[in-house]
């Protein structure tokens, strides 16, 4: 259903697992989709056994995220990343606002969203973490 995320719901906890190490344009879209779907399910639920009480957002990668994947973004949207006149700049602004809207649905989720952050969390990962109600940070010493 989602290309870069997995959704598991067990014992009233929805776990969203990020399987990409960087934020690709597809990851932004998947985050927006999964949280819109979860919000609709939570808001429309009348069965207490189907009740989602919290969402945990985590990553199955070595690090939480390295931030925006610039190569994938340029590949998907080359014409607006190459500069140009006002039209390209307006298109880039619209793209950035769409990505921001995909992260805003995390903040708007009707139940608390907890980010479980391990390793590096850079760029768009910090935007995602700031959209969550709480963050768990796991410190791993490097040798």
């Amino acid at each position: 259903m989602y290309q870069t995320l997995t959704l598991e719901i067990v014992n009233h906890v929805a776990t969203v697992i990020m399987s990409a190490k960087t934020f690709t344009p597809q990851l932004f879209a998947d985050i927006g989709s999964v949280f819109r779907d979860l919000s609709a399910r939570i808001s429309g639920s009348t069965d207490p056994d189907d009740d989602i009480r919290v969402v945990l957002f985590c990553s199955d990668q070595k690090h939480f995220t390295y931030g925006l994947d610039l190569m994938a973004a340029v590949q998907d949207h080359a014409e607006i990343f190459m500069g140009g006149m006002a039209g390209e700049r307006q298109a880039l602004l619209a793209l950035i606002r769409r990505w921001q809207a995909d992260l805003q649905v995390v903040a708007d989720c009707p139940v608390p969203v907890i980010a479980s952050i391990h390793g590096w969390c850079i760029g768009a990962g910090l935007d995602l973490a700031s959209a969550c109600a709480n963050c768990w940070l796991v410190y791993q010493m490097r040798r």
Side-chain angles (χ1 to χ4, degrees):
M1 184 170 191
Y2 311 105
Q3 294 179 24
T4 59
L5 299 172
T6 305
L7 174 63
E8 301 172 354
I9 301 173
V10 178
N11 295 331
H12 308 286
V13 176
T15 303
V16 179
I17 304 166
M18 185 168 47
S19 60
K21 63 183 176 181
T22 58
F23 267 73
T24 62
Q26 183 61 51
L27 180 57
F28 281 103
D30 285 350
I31 289 171
S33 294
V34 75
F35 277 92
R36 281 184 203 87
D37 294 347
L38 280 171
S39 293
R41 179 176 174 168
I42 292 163
S43 298
S45 177
T46 57
D47 181 1
D49 291 331
D50 190 37
D51 191 22
I52 295 173
R53 298 180 185 154
V54 67
V55 178
L56 177 64
F57 197 106
C58 59
S59 171
D60 65 3
Q61 300 295 305
K62 181 178 178 182
H63 296 282
F64 187 71
T65 181
Y66 292 109
L68 179 63
D69 186 334
L70 289 173
M71 295 299 286
V74 169
Q75 182 179 3
D76 288 0
H77 306 283
E79 65 284 350
I80 60 176
F81 275 95
M82 296 303 167
M85 302 303 284
E88 289 83 6
R89 291 192 300 274
Q90 288 295 324
L92 179 59
L93 180 60
L95 176 64
I96 291 167
R97 287 187 173 151
R98 189 173 77 224
W99 288 345
Q100 289 173 333
D102 287 332
L103 294 179
Q104 181 62 40
V105 295
V106 176
D108 294 340
C109 188
V111 297
V113 180
I114 300 169
S116 176
I117 300 173
H118 64 281
W120 294 358
C121 179
I122 301 170
L126 295 173
D127 291 337
L128 173 63
S130 66
C132 295
N134 290 300
C135 296
W136 288 332
L137 305 175
V138 177
Y139 178 74
Q140 298 168 330
M141 286 187 65
R142 293 188 337 187
R143 293 181 184 182

